[in-house]
PDB file of all heavy atoms in Angstrom:
ATOM      1  N   SER A 101      11.550  18.794  -0.985  1.00  0.00           N
ATOM      2  CA  SER A 101      12.854  18.487  -1.658  1.00  0.00           C
ATOM      3  C   SER A 101      13.342  17.129  -1.247  1.00  0.00           C
ATOM      4  O   SER A 101      13.892  16.438  -2.072  1.00  0.00           O
ATOM      5  CB  SER A 101      13.836  19.613  -1.362  1.00  0.00           C
ATOM      6  OG  SER A 101      14.083  19.638   0.104  1.00  0.00           O
ATOM      7  N   LYS A 102      13.116  16.736  -0.022  1.00  0.00           N
ATOM      8  CA  LYS A 102      13.470  15.379   0.340  1.00  0.00           C
ATOM      9  C   LYS A 102      12.697  14.329  -0.349  1.00  0.00           C
ATOM     10  O   LYS A 102      13.142  13.268  -0.878  1.00  0.00           O
ATOM     11  CB  LYS A 102      13.244  15.121   1.880  1.00  0.00           C
ATOM     12  CG  LYS A 102      14.375  15.603   2.732  1.00  0.00           C
ATOM     13  CD  LYS A 102      14.756  14.665   3.831  1.00  0.00           C
ATOM     14  CE  LYS A 102      16.106  15.122   4.321  1.00  0.00           C
ATOM     15  NZ  LYS A 102      16.625  14.607   5.438  1.00  0.00           N
ATOM     16  N   LEU A 103      11.386  14.590  -0.485  1.00  0.00           N
ATOM     17  CA  LEU A 103      10.449  13.647  -1.262  1.00  0.00           C
ATOM     18  C   LEU A 103      10.993  13.489  -2.652  1.00  0.00           C
ATOM     19  O   LEU A 103      11.159  12.344  -3.113  1.00  0.00           O
ATOM     20  CB  LEU A 103       9.076  14.224  -1.165  1.00  0.00           C
ATOM     21  CG  LEU A 103       7.952  13.328  -1.722  1.00  0.00           C
ATOM     22  CD1 LEU A 103       7.923  11.996  -1.056  1.00  0.00           C
ATOM     23  CD2 LEU A 103       6.587  14.017  -1.448  1.00  0.00           C
ATOM     24  N   ASN A 104      11.356  14.614  -3.263  1.00  0.00           N
ATOM     25  CA  ASN A 104      11.889  14.474  -4.668  1.00  0.00           C
ATOM     26  C   ASN A 104      13.188  13.676  -4.696  1.00  0.00           C
ATOM     27  O   ASN A 104      13.356  12.875  -5.580  1.00  0.00           O
ATOM     28  CB  ASN A 104      12.186  15.856  -5.212  1.00  0.00           C
ATOM     29  CG  ASN A 104      10.924  16.404  -5.876  1.00  0.00           C
ATOM     30  OD1 ASN A 104      10.358  15.852  -6.750  1.00  0.00           O
ATOM     31  ND2 ASN A 104      10.429  17.586  -5.398  1.00  0.00           N
ATOM     32  N   TYR A 105      14.054  13.897  -3.727  1.00  0.00           N
ATOM     33  CA  TYR A 105      15.311  13.223  -3.656  1.00  0.00           C
ATOM     34  C   TYR A 105      15.110  11.701  -3.501  1.00  0.00           C
ATOM     35  O   TYR A 105      15.650  10.903  -4.263  1.00  0.00           O
ATOM     36  CB  TYR A 105      16.154  13.725  -2.447  1.00  0.00           C
ATOM     37  CG  TYR A 105      17.380  12.893  -2.217  1.00  0.00           C
ATOM     38  CD1 TYR A 105      18.543  13.098  -2.960  1.00  0.00           C
ATOM     39  CD2 TYR A 105      17.379  11.821  -1.270  1.00  0.00           C
ATOM     40  CE1 TYR A 105      19.694  12.321  -2.763  1.00  0.00           C
ATOM     41  CE2 TYR A 105      18.488  11.043  -1.129  1.00  0.00           C
ATOM     42  CZ  TYR A 105      19.593  11.280  -1.860  1.00  0.00           C
ATOM     43  OH  TYR A 105      20.717  10.470  -1.617  1.00  0.00           O
ATOM     44  N   TRP A 106      14.212  11.325  -2.582  1.00  0.00           N
ATOM     45  CA  TRP A 106      13.961   9.878  -2.318  1.00  0.00           C
ATOM     46  C   TRP A 106      13.205   9.198  -3.483  1.00  0.00           C
ATOM     47  O   TRP A 106      13.440   8.003  -3.759  1.00  0.00           O
ATOM     48  CB  TRP A 106      13.330   9.687  -1.012  1.00  0.00           C
ATOM     49  CG  TRP A 106      14.369   9.902   0.149  1.00  0.00           C
ATOM     50  CD1 TRP A 106      14.338  10.948   1.015  1.00  0.00           C
ATOM     51  CD2 TRP A 106      15.537   9.125   0.376  1.00  0.00           C
ATOM     52  NE1 TRP A 106      15.446  10.873   1.858  1.00  0.00           N
ATOM     53  CE2 TRP A 106      16.173   9.786   1.486  1.00  0.00           C
ATOM     54  CE3 TRP A 106      16.066   7.981  -0.152  1.00  0.00           C
ATOM     55  CZ2 TRP A 106      17.396   9.281   2.044  1.00  0.00           C
ATOM     56  CZ3 TRP A 106      17.247   7.541   0.384  1.00  0.00           C
ATOM     57  CH2 TRP A 106      17.901   8.137   1.459  1.00  0.00           C
ATOM     58  N   LEU A 107      12.339   9.976  -4.122  1.00  0.00           N
ATOM     59  CA  LEU A 107      11.625   9.352  -5.269  1.00  0.00           C
ATOM     60  C   LEU A 107      12.642   9.038  -6.404  1.00  0.00           C
ATOM     61  O   LEU A 107      12.628   7.967  -6.970  1.00  0.00           O
ATOM     62  CB  LEU A 107      10.542  10.210  -5.786  1.00  0.00           C
ATOM     63  CG  LEU A 107       9.293  10.410  -4.887  1.00  0.00           C
ATOM     64  CD1 LEU A 107       8.314  11.459  -5.441  1.00  0.00           C
ATOM     65  CD2 LEU A 107       8.563   9.095  -4.667  1.00  0.00           C
ATOM     66  N   ASP A 108      13.582   9.936  -6.583  1.00  0.00           N
ATOM     67  CA  ASP A 108      14.634   9.785  -7.621  1.00  0.00           C
ATOM     68  C   ASP A 108      15.532   8.595  -7.174  1.00  0.00           C
ATOM     69  O   ASP A 108      15.961   7.773  -8.005  1.00  0.00           O
ATOM     70  CB  ASP A 108      15.524  10.988  -7.768  1.00  0.00           C
ATOM     71  CG  ASP A 108      14.775  12.110  -8.504  1.00  0.00           C
ATOM     72  OD1 ASP A 108      13.834  11.726  -9.231  1.00  0.00           O
ATOM     73  OD2 ASP A 108      15.196  13.256  -8.374  1.00  0.00           O
ATOM     74  N   TYR A 109      15.792   8.545  -5.907  1.00  0.00           N
ATOM     75  CA  TYR A 109      16.731   7.437  -5.355  1.00  0.00           C
ATOM     76  C   TYR A 109      16.028   6.087  -5.631  1.00  0.00           C
ATOM     77  O   TYR A 109      16.710   5.118  -6.113  1.00  0.00           O
ATOM     78  CB  TYR A 109      16.896   7.603  -3.870  1.00  0.00           C
ATOM     79  CG  TYR A 109      17.561   6.473  -3.138  1.00  0.00           C
ATOM     80  CD1 TYR A 109      18.976   6.454  -2.957  1.00  0.00           C
ATOM     81  CD2 TYR A 109      16.806   5.447  -2.583  1.00  0.00           C
ATOM     82  CE1 TYR A 109      19.536   5.415  -2.350  1.00  0.00           C
ATOM     83  CE2 TYR A 109      17.392   4.397  -1.941  1.00  0.00           C
ATOM     84  CZ  TYR A 109      18.788   4.385  -1.749  1.00  0.00           C
ATOM     85  OH  TYR A 109      19.362   3.339  -1.120  1.00  0.00           O
ATOM     86  N   LEU A 110      14.763   5.987  -5.458  1.00  0.00           N
ATOM     87  CA  LEU A 110      14.078   4.735  -5.583  1.00  0.00           C
ATOM     88  C   LEU A 110      14.177   4.355  -7.116  1.00  0.00           C
ATOM     89  O   LEU A 110      14.563   3.159  -7.440  1.00  0.00           O
ATOM     90  CB  LEU A 110      12.598   4.803  -5.199  1.00  0.00           C
ATOM     91  CG  LEU A 110      12.360   5.001  -3.727  1.00  0.00           C
ATOM     92  CD1 LEU A 110      10.899   5.252  -3.422  1.00  0.00           C
ATOM     93  CD2 LEU A 110      12.834   3.753  -2.975  1.00  0.00           C
ATOM     94  N   ALA A 111      13.849   5.244  -7.986  1.00  0.00           N
ATOM     95  CA  ALA A 111      13.944   4.973  -9.449  1.00  0.00           C
ATOM     96  C   ALA A 111      15.330   4.515  -9.802  1.00  0.00           C
ATOM     97  O   ALA A 111      15.471   3.517 -10.508  1.00  0.00           O
ATOM     98  CB  ALA A 111      13.538   6.174 -10.278  1.00  0.00           C
ATOM     99  N   SER A 112      16.362   5.133  -9.294  1.00  0.00           N
ATOM    100  CA  SER A 112      17.707   4.809  -9.768  1.00  0.00           C
ATOM    101  C   SER A 112      18.153   3.480  -9.139  1.00  0.00           C
ATOM    102  O   SER A 112      19.150   2.862  -9.490  1.00  0.00           O
ATOM    103  CB  SER A 112      18.730   5.945  -9.515  1.00  0.00           C
ATOM    104  OG  SER A 112      18.797   6.238  -8.141  1.00  0.00           O
ATOM    105  N   ASN A 113      17.448   3.022  -8.143  1.00  0.00           N
ATOM    106  CA  ASN A 113      17.689   1.663  -7.578  1.00  0.00           C
ATOM    107  C   ASN A 113      16.691   0.581  -8.047  1.00  0.00           C
ATOM    108  O   ASN A 113      16.653  -0.516  -7.489  1.00  0.00           O
ATOM    109  CB  ASN A 113      17.645   1.723  -6.052  1.00  0.00           C
ATOM    110  CG  ASN A 113      19.001   2.381  -5.506  1.00  0.00           C
ATOM    111  OD1 ASN A 113      19.988   1.738  -5.324  1.00  0.00           O
ATOM    112  ND2 ASN A 113      18.938   3.657  -5.226  1.00  0.00           N
ATOM    113  N   GLY A 114      16.010   0.915  -9.064  1.00  0.00           N
ATOM    114  CA  GLY A 114      15.092  -0.090  -9.657  1.00  0.00           C
ATOM    115  C   GLY A 114      13.854  -0.433  -8.807  1.00  0.00           C
ATOM    116  O   GLY A 114      13.242  -1.478  -9.007  1.00  0.00           O
ATOM    117  N   VAL A 115      13.477   0.511  -7.934  1.00  0.00           N
ATOM    118  CA  VAL A 115      12.311   0.304  -7.051  1.00  0.00           C
ATOM    119  C   VAL A 115      11.185   1.182  -7.614  1.00  0.00           C
ATOM    120  O   VAL A 115      11.382   2.382  -7.914  1.00  0.00           O
ATOM    121  CB  VAL A 115      12.616   0.704  -5.588  1.00  0.00           C
ATOM    122  CG1 VAL A 115      11.354   0.479  -4.740  1.00  0.00           C
ATOM    123  CG2 VAL A 115      13.736  -0.232  -5.147  1.00  0.00           C
ATOM    124  N   ASP A 116       9.977   0.689  -7.813  1.00  0.00           N
ATOM    125  CA  ASP A 116       8.857   1.437  -8.289  1.00  0.00           C
ATOM    126  C   ASP A 116       8.417   2.411  -7.165  1.00  0.00           C
ATOM    127  O   ASP A 116       8.136   2.020  -6.009  1.00  0.00           O
ATOM    128  CB  ASP A 116       7.645   0.564  -8.636  1.00  0.00           C
ATOM    129  CG  ASP A 116       7.888  -0.080  -9.955  1.00  0.00           C
ATOM    130  OD1 ASP A 116       8.828   0.180 -10.665  1.00  0.00           O
ATOM    131  OD2 ASP A 116       7.073  -0.958 -10.303  1.00  0.00           O
ATOM    132  N   ALA A 117       8.376   3.729  -7.485  1.00  0.00           N
ATOM    133  CA  ALA A 117       8.068   4.778  -6.504  1.00  0.00           C
ATOM    134  C   ALA A 117       6.584   5.103  -6.544  1.00  0.00           C
ATOM    135  O   ALA A 117       6.001   5.231  -7.607  1.00  0.00           O
ATOM    136  CB  ALA A 117       8.845   5.978  -6.736  1.00  0.00           C
ATOM    137  N   VAL A 118       5.939   5.312  -5.346  1.00  0.00           N
ATOM    138  CA  VAL A 118       4.547   5.598  -5.293  1.00  0.00           C
ATOM    139  C   VAL A 118       4.408   6.809  -4.339  1.00  0.00           C
ATOM    140  O   VAL A 118       5.111   6.869  -3.369  1.00  0.00           O
ATOM    141  CB  VAL A 118       3.758   4.341  -4.667  1.00  0.00           C
ATOM    142  CG1 VAL A 118       2.269   4.743  -4.490  1.00  0.00           C
ATOM    143  CG2 VAL A 118       3.891   3.102  -5.615  1.00  0.00           C
ATOM    144  N   LEU A 119       3.484   7.739  -4.750  1.00  0.00           N
ATOM    145  CA  LEU A 119       3.199   8.828  -3.832  1.00  0.00           C
ATOM    146  C   LEU A 119       1.960   8.504  -3.111  1.00  0.00           C
ATOM    147  O   LEU A 119       0.878   8.133  -3.681  1.00  0.00           O
ATOM    148  CB  LEU A 119       3.089  10.115  -4.571  1.00  0.00           C
ATOM    149  CG  LEU A 119       2.841  11.341  -3.715  1.00  0.00           C
ATOM    150  CD1 LEU A 119       4.076  11.693  -2.859  1.00  0.00           C
ATOM    151  CD2 LEU A 119       2.412  12.580  -4.518  1.00  0.00           C
ATOM    152  N   ALA A 120       1.966   8.571  -1.746  1.00  0.00           N
ATOM    153  CA  ALA A 120       0.797   8.239  -0.936  1.00  0.00           C
ATOM    154  C   ALA A 120       0.189   9.558  -0.416  1.00  0.00           C
ATOM    155  O   ALA A 120       0.919  10.394   0.030  1.00  0.00           O
ATOM    156  CB  ALA A 120       1.181   7.399   0.252  1.00  0.00           C
ATOM    157  N   ILE A 121      -1.151   9.630  -0.486  1.00  0.00           N
ATOM    158  CA  ILE A 121      -1.792  10.863   0.162  1.00  0.00           C
ATOM    159  C   ILE A 121      -2.806  10.386   1.179  1.00  0.00           C
ATOM    160  O   ILE A 121      -3.675   9.576   0.948  1.00  0.00           O
ATOM    161  CB  ILE A 121      -2.442  11.780  -0.938  1.00  0.00           C
ATOM    162  CG1 ILE A 121      -3.385  11.029  -1.915  1.00  0.00           C
ATOM    163  CG2 ILE A 121      -1.300  12.468  -1.788  1.00  0.00           C
ATOM    164  CD1 ILE A 121      -4.116  11.990  -2.812  1.00  0.00           C
ATOM    165  N   LYS A 122      -2.688  10.982   2.383  1.00  0.00           N
ATOM    166  CA  LYS A 122      -3.586  10.755   3.493  1.00  0.00           C
ATOM    167  C   LYS A 122      -4.945  11.464   3.175  1.00  0.00           C
ATOM    168  O   LYS A 122      -4.975  12.389   2.345  1.00  0.00           O
ATOM    169  CB  LYS A 122      -3.063  11.364   4.791  1.00  0.00           C
ATOM    170  CG  LYS A 122      -1.816  10.696   5.264  1.00  0.00           C
ATOM    171  CD  LYS A 122      -1.519  11.254   6.735  1.00  0.00           C
ATOM    172  CE  LYS A 122      -1.253  12.745   6.742  1.00  0.00           C
ATOM    173  NZ  LYS A 122      -1.090  13.303   8.008  1.00  0.00           N
ATOM    174  N   PRO A 123      -5.984  11.185   3.904  1.00  0.00           N
ATOM    175  CA  PRO A 123      -7.237  11.870   3.631  1.00  0.00           C
ATOM    176  C   PRO A 123      -7.215  13.371   3.718  1.00  0.00           C
ATOM    177  O   PRO A 123      -7.934  14.040   2.992  1.00  0.00           O
ATOM    178  CB  PRO A 123      -8.188  11.323   4.805  1.00  0.00           C
ATOM    179  CG  PRO A 123      -7.664   9.938   5.025  1.00  0.00           C
ATOM    180  CD  PRO A 123      -6.176  10.084   4.907  1.00  0.00           C
ATOM    181  N   ASP A 124      -6.341  13.997   4.522  1.00  0.00           N
ATOM    182  CA  ASP A 124      -6.229  15.450   4.669  1.00  0.00           C
ATOM    183  C   ASP A 124      -5.396  16.082   3.607  1.00  0.00           C
ATOM    184  O   ASP A 124      -5.180  17.263   3.631  1.00  0.00           O
ATOM    185  CB  ASP A 124      -5.809  15.834   6.019  1.00  0.00           C
ATOM    186  CG  ASP A 124      -4.423  15.359   6.407  1.00  0.00           C
ATOM    187  OD1 ASP A 124      -3.939  14.441   5.738  1.00  0.00           O
ATOM    188  OD2 ASP A 124      -3.816  15.889   7.408  1.00  0.00           O
ATOM    189  N   ILE A 125      -4.839  15.297   2.704  1.00  0.00           N
ATOM    190  CA  ILE A 125      -3.965  15.892   1.615  1.00  0.00           C
ATOM    191  C   ILE A 125      -4.812  15.996   0.324  1.00  0.00           C
ATOM    192  O   ILE A 125      -5.351  15.057  -0.106  1.00  0.00           O
ATOM    193  CB  ILE A 125      -2.665  14.996   1.383  1.00  0.00           C
ATOM    194  CG1 ILE A 125      -1.863  14.769   2.691  1.00  0.00           C
ATOM    195  CG2 ILE A 125      -1.831  15.547   0.222  1.00  0.00           C
ATOM    196  CD1 ILE A 125      -1.129  15.978   3.204  1.00  0.00           C
ATOM    197  N   PRO A 126      -4.863  17.231  -0.249  1.00  0.00           N
ATOM    198  CA  PRO A 126      -5.601  17.370  -1.468  1.00  0.00           C
ATOM    199  C   PRO A 126      -5.037  16.580  -2.623  1.00  0.00           C
ATOM    200  O   PRO A 126      -3.871  16.501  -2.764  1.00  0.00           O
ATOM    201  CB  PRO A 126      -5.606  18.879  -1.727  1.00  0.00           C
ATOM    202  CG  PRO A 126      -4.400  19.405  -0.976  1.00  0.00           C
ATOM    203  CD  PRO A 126      -4.246  18.515   0.174  1.00  0.00           C
ATOM    204  N   ALA A 127      -5.941  16.159  -3.544  1.00  0.00           N
ATOM    205  CA  ALA A 127      -5.546  15.428  -4.750  1.00  0.00           C
ATOM    206  C   ALA A 127      -4.473  16.157  -5.578  1.00  0.00           C
ATOM    207  O   ALA A 127      -3.616  15.446  -6.153  1.00  0.00           O
ATOM    208  CB  ALA A 127      -6.762  15.044  -5.564  1.00  0.00           C
ATOM    209  N   ASP A 128      -4.611  17.471  -5.651  1.00  0.00           N
ATOM    210  CA  ASP A 128      -3.737  18.132  -6.664  1.00  0.00           C
ATOM    211  C   ASP A 128      -2.316  18.134  -6.372  1.00  0.00           C
ATOM    212  O   ASP A 128      -1.455  18.464  -7.260  1.00  0.00           O
ATOM    213  CB  ASP A 128      -4.278  19.570  -7.024  1.00  0.00           C
ATOM    214  CG  ASP A 128      -4.508  20.386  -5.697  1.00  0.00           C
ATOM    215  OD1 ASP A 128      -3.850  20.074  -4.760  1.00  0.00           O
ATOM    216  OD2 ASP A 128      -5.257  21.366  -5.789  1.00  0.00           O
ATOM    217  N   VAL A 129      -1.824  17.725  -5.180  1.00  0.00           N
ATOM    218  CA  VAL A 129      -0.421  17.736  -4.927  1.00  0.00           C
ATOM    219  C   VAL A 129       0.260  16.662  -5.793  1.00  0.00           C
ATOM    220  O   VAL A 129       1.461  16.674  -5.998  1.00  0.00           O
ATOM    221  CB  VAL A 129      -0.041  17.409  -3.434  1.00  0.00           C
ATOM    222  CG1 VAL A 129      -0.668  18.417  -2.476  1.00  0.00           C
ATOM    223  CG2 VAL A 129      -0.406  16.023  -3.038  1.00  0.00           C
ATOM    224  N   VAL A 130      -0.499  15.701  -6.251  1.00  0.00           N
ATOM    225  CA  VAL A 130       0.015  14.581  -7.044  1.00  0.00           C
ATOM    226  C   VAL A 130       0.668  15.037  -8.357  1.00  0.00           C
ATOM    227  O   VAL A 130       1.718  14.510  -8.827  1.00  0.00           O
ATOM    228  CB  VAL A 130      -1.112  13.613  -7.286  1.00  0.00           C
ATOM    229  CG1 VAL A 130      -0.729  12.593  -8.411  1.00  0.00           C
ATOM    230  CG2 VAL A 130      -1.646  12.849  -6.091  1.00  0.00           C
ATOM    231  N   GLU A 131       0.092  16.093  -8.980  1.00  0.00           N
ATOM    232  CA  GLU A 131       0.436  16.500 -10.275  1.00  0.00           C
ATOM    233  C   GLU A 131       1.991  16.687 -10.483  1.00  0.00           C
ATOM    234  O   GLU A 131       2.548  16.196 -11.450  1.00  0.00           O
ATOM    235  CB  GLU A 131      -0.318  17.740 -10.675  1.00  0.00           C
ATOM    236  CG  GLU A 131      -0.265  17.968 -12.161  1.00  0.00           C
ATOM    237  CD  GLU A 131      -1.326  18.959 -12.638  1.00  0.00           C
ATOM    238  OE1 GLU A 131      -2.090  19.507 -11.781  1.00  0.00           O
ATOM    239  OE2 GLU A 131      -1.420  19.100 -13.868  1.00  0.00           O
ATOM    240  N   LYS A 132       2.556  17.450  -9.580  1.00  0.00           N
ATOM    241  CA  LYS A 132       3.964  17.789  -9.897  1.00  0.00           C
ATOM    242  C   LYS A 132       4.928  16.533  -9.654  1.00  0.00           C
ATOM    243  O   LYS A 132       6.070  16.605 -10.090  1.00  0.00           O
ATOM    244  CB  LYS A 132       4.434  18.866  -8.969  1.00  0.00           C
ATOM    245  CG  LYS A 132       4.237  18.757  -7.532  1.00  0.00           C
ATOM    246  CD  LYS A 132       4.596  20.065  -6.751  1.00  0.00           C
ATOM    247  CE  LYS A 132       4.028  19.959  -5.361  1.00  0.00           C
ATOM    248  NZ  LYS A 132       3.422  21.049  -4.795  1.00  0.00           N
ATOM    249  N   PHE A 133       4.444  15.448  -9.128  1.00  0.00           N
ATOM    250  CA  PHE A 133       5.289  14.305  -8.910  1.00  0.00           C
ATOM    251  C   PHE A 133       5.153  13.215 -10.027  1.00  0.00           C
ATOM    252  O   PHE A 133       5.810  12.231 -10.031  1.00  0.00           O
ATOM    253  CB  PHE A 133       5.062  13.683  -7.530  1.00  0.00           C
ATOM    254  CG  PHE A 133       5.381  14.632  -6.441  1.00  0.00           C
ATOM    255  CD1 PHE A 133       4.457  15.386  -5.719  1.00  0.00           C
ATOM    256  CD2 PHE A 133       6.778  14.744  -5.982  1.00  0.00           C
ATOM    257  CE1 PHE A 133       4.787  16.183  -4.754  1.00  0.00           C
ATOM    258  CE2 PHE A 133       7.073  15.623  -5.003  1.00  0.00           C
ATOM    259  CZ  PHE A 133       6.052  16.399  -4.373  1.00  0.00           C
ATOM    260  N   LEU A 134       4.200  13.462 -10.868  1.00  0.00           N
ATOM    261  CA  LEU A 134       3.810  12.397 -11.888  1.00  0.00           C
ATOM    262  C   LEU A 134       4.997  11.869 -12.642  1.00  0.00           C
ATOM    263  O   LEU A 134       5.070  10.620 -12.828  1.00  0.00           O
ATOM    264  CB  LEU A 134       2.818  12.916 -12.899  1.00  0.00           C
ATOM    265  CG  LEU A 134       1.380  13.085 -12.322  1.00  0.00           C
ATOM    266  CD1 LEU A 134       0.421  13.568 -13.429  1.00  0.00           C
ATOM    267  CD2 LEU A 134       0.902  11.790 -11.708  1.00  0.00           C
ATOM    268  N   PRO A 135       6.009  12.713 -13.074  1.00  0.00           N
ATOM    269  CA  PRO A 135       7.132  12.103 -13.792  1.00  0.00           C
ATOM    270  C   PRO A 135       7.973  11.056 -12.998  1.00  0.00           C
ATOM    271  O   PRO A 135       8.689  10.304 -13.581  1.00  0.00           O
ATOM    272  CB  PRO A 135       7.951  13.277 -14.169  1.00  0.00           C
ATOM    273  CG  PRO A 135       7.108  14.437 -14.015  1.00  0.00           C
ATOM    274  CD  PRO A 135       6.109  14.113 -13.019  1.00  0.00           C
ATOM    275  N   LYS A 136       7.821  11.124 -11.711  1.00  0.00           N
ATOM    276  CA  LYS A 136       8.737  10.348 -10.840  1.00  0.00           C
ATOM    277  C   LYS A 136       7.996   9.081 -10.285  1.00  0.00           C
ATOM    278  O   LYS A 136       8.640   8.269  -9.621  1.00  0.00           O
ATOM    279  CB  LYS A 136       9.189  11.137  -9.683  1.00  0.00           C
ATOM    280  CG  LYS A 136      10.070  12.340 -10.086  1.00  0.00           C
ATOM    281  CD  LYS A 136      10.484  13.065  -8.842  1.00  0.00           C
ATOM    282  CE  LYS A 136      11.204  14.422  -9.178  1.00  0.00           C
ATOM    283  NZ  LYS A 136      12.554  14.429  -9.364  1.00  0.00           N
ATOM    284  N   ILE A 137       6.716   8.919 -10.537  1.00  0.00           N
ATOM    285  CA  ILE A 137       5.987   7.815  -9.833  1.00  0.00           C
ATOM    286  C   ILE A 137       5.271   6.843 -10.750  1.00  0.00           C
ATOM    287  O   ILE A 137       5.046   7.207 -11.896  1.00  0.00           O
ATOM    288  CB  ILE A 137       4.953   8.433  -8.795  1.00  0.00           C
ATOM    289  CG1 ILE A 137       3.920   9.245  -9.491  1.00  0.00           C
ATOM    290  CG2 ILE A 137       5.682   9.214  -7.676  1.00  0.00           C
ATOM    291  CD1 ILE A 137       2.802   9.779  -8.578  1.00  0.00           C
ATOM    292  N   LYS A 138       5.025   5.669 -10.232  1.00  0.00           N
ATOM    293  CA  LYS A 138       4.345   4.641 -11.018  1.00  0.00           C
ATOM    294  C   LYS A 138       2.979   4.424 -10.582  1.00  0.00           C
ATOM    295  O   LYS A 138       2.137   3.769 -11.246  1.00  0.00           O
ATOM    296  CB  LYS A 138       5.158   3.280 -10.795  1.00  0.00           C
ATOM    297  CG  LYS A 138       6.514   3.225 -11.431  1.00  0.00           C
ATOM    298  CD  LYS A 138       6.384   2.652 -12.873  1.00  0.00           C
ATOM    299  CE  LYS A 138       7.605   2.813 -13.695  1.00  0.00           C
ATOM    300  NZ  LYS A 138       8.809   2.178 -13.221  1.00  0.00           N
ATOM    301  N   GLN A 139       2.576   4.960  -9.403  1.00  0.00           N
ATOM    302  CA  GLN A 139       1.274   4.647  -8.842  1.00  0.00           C
ATOM    303  C   GLN A 139       0.966   5.736  -7.851  1.00  0.00           C
ATOM    304  O   GLN A 139       1.882   6.299  -7.236  1.00  0.00           O
ATOM    305  CB  GLN A 139       1.300   3.274  -8.192  1.00  0.00           C
ATOM    306  CG  GLN A 139       0.104   2.897  -7.415  1.00  0.00           C
ATOM    307  CD  GLN A 139       0.193   1.438  -6.850  1.00  0.00           C
ATOM    308  OE1 GLN A 139       0.163   0.448  -7.593  1.00  0.00           O
ATOM    309  NE2 GLN A 139       0.382   1.326  -5.557  1.00  0.00           N
ATOM    310  N   VAL A 140      -0.257   6.019  -7.596  1.00  0.00           N
ATOM    311  CA  VAL A 140      -0.689   6.877  -6.514  1.00  0.00           C
ATOM    312  C   VAL A 140      -1.419   6.030  -5.456  1.00  0.00           C
ATOM    313  O   VAL A 140      -2.263   5.148  -5.874  1.00  0.00           O
ATOM    314  CB  VAL A 140      -1.648   8.034  -6.962  1.00  0.00           C
ATOM    315  CG1 VAL A 140      -2.107   8.904  -5.815  1.00  0.00           C
ATOM    316  CG2 VAL A 140      -0.908   8.900  -7.972  1.00  0.00           C
ATOM    317  N   LEU A 141      -1.126   6.234  -4.172  1.00  0.00           N
ATOM    318  CA  LEU A 141      -1.811   5.528  -3.163  1.00  0.00           C
ATOM    319  C   LEU A 141      -2.792   6.490  -2.455  1.00  0.00           C
ATOM    320  O   LEU A 141      -2.270   7.512  -1.823  1.00  0.00           O
ATOM    321  CB  LEU A 141      -0.806   4.916  -2.125  1.00  0.00           C
ATOM    322  CG  LEU A 141      -1.420   4.452  -0.750  1.00  0.00           C
ATOM    323  CD1 LEU A 141      -2.495   3.389  -0.946  1.00  0.00           C
ATOM    324  CD2 LEU A 141      -0.330   3.910   0.129  1.00  0.00           C
ATOM    325  N   VAL A 142      -4.002   6.281  -2.611  1.00  0.00           N
ATOM    326  CA  VAL A 142      -5.035   7.080  -1.892  1.00  0.00           C
ATOM    327  C   VAL A 142      -5.496   6.438  -0.617  1.00  0.00           C
ATOM    328  O   VAL A 142      -6.100   5.349  -0.715  1.00  0.00           O
ATOM    329  CB  VAL A 142      -6.262   7.402  -2.884  1.00  0.00           C
ATOM    330  CG1 VAL A 142      -7.337   8.226  -2.156  1.00  0.00           C
ATOM    331  CG2 VAL A 142      -5.901   8.079  -4.163  1.00  0.00           C
TER     332      VAL A 142
END
Side-chain angles (χ1 to χ4, degrees):
S101 64
K102 278 224 162 166
L103 187 54
N104 273 302
Y105 172 84
W106 287 110
L107 292 173
D108 288 338
Y109 170 91
L110 293 173
S112 60
N113 282 279
V115 178
D116 286 351
V118 176
L119 185 69
I121 54 173
K122 293 190 296 172
D124 62 343
I125 302 290
D128 53 21
V129 304
V130 168
E131 194 161 7
K132 56 187 166 217
F133 297 98
L134 287 182
K136 297 180 192 265
I137 60 176
K138 289 269 166 62
Q139 173 177 290
V140 177
L141 167 57
V142 177

